[in-house]
Amino acid sequence: MRTVAECDRRIAELQKRIKQAEADRDLKTARENKETRRLRTRALVILGGEVLRSTGLDWTQIDPDRFGRLCDSLAETITRECRTSTVSPKEAIGRYDQRQTDTRNSY
């Protein structure tokens, strides 16, 4: 049977391991969040490119206020027509990359 001191040492060891595991979790969460932001930015660039490609306009020719209002007015249609199941950020960017490749190859 363990003594109280042995139990206290064991508790202290476990608490130390818990703190390390929490620190590891926080670090991994931060890395995942950074990667998600990077992929989201990439997706937004691709979507912006789709707008420019489909309109034939240069980005300097698009009025952001009018474009924003147009997007707002079409939000329900875009959601209904474009929404898909939620996937991981890596899977999602794979879809965007494939669309970009397919579009380039169609010219």
Side-chain angles (χ1 to χ4, degrees):
M1 189 171 239
R2 291 184 180 168
T3 66
V4 171
E6 290 172 332
C7 289
D8 288 343
R9 276 193 300 276
R10 179 73 176 138
I11 289 170
E13 289 171 13
L14 291 173
Q15 288 173 334
K16 184 178 177 181
R17 288 177 58 192
I18 288 170
K19 284 183 182 182
Q20 183 59 51
E22 288 172 340
D24 290 347
R25 181 194 63 212
D26 292 345
L27 182 62
K28 288 178 183 181
T29 298
R31 284 183 184 152
E32 286 177 10
N33 289 342
K34 182 178 180 182
E35 178 67 2
T36 297
R37 284 191 305 274
R38 186 186 72 78
L39 294 175
R40 181 180 182 272
T41 298
R42 208 164 122 208
L44 292 173
V45 167
I46 293 169
L47 285 171
E50 283 287 314
V51 170
L52 300 179
R53 183 195 59 76
S54 66
T55 63
L57 297 173
D58 182 77
W59 70 273
T60 61
Q61 297 173 300
I62 296 175
D63 180 300
D65 293 327
R66 289 167 51 192
F67 183 73
R69 286 193 300 274
L70 178 63
C71 287
D72 290 342
S73 71
L74 296 172
E76 287 183 26
T77 301
I78 292 169
T79 299
R80 184 178 58 252
E81 297 295 325
C82 300
R83 177 178 237 148
T84 185
S85 60
T86 302
V87 296
S88 73
K90 286 186 179 184
E91 288 178 90
I93 202 64
R95 291 177 180 178
Y96 283 80
D97 288 341
Q98 185 61 51
R99 167 70 180 154
Q100 199 171 32
T101 300
D102 292 347
T103 301
R104 282 188 194 137
N105 291 338
S106 68
Y107 292 113

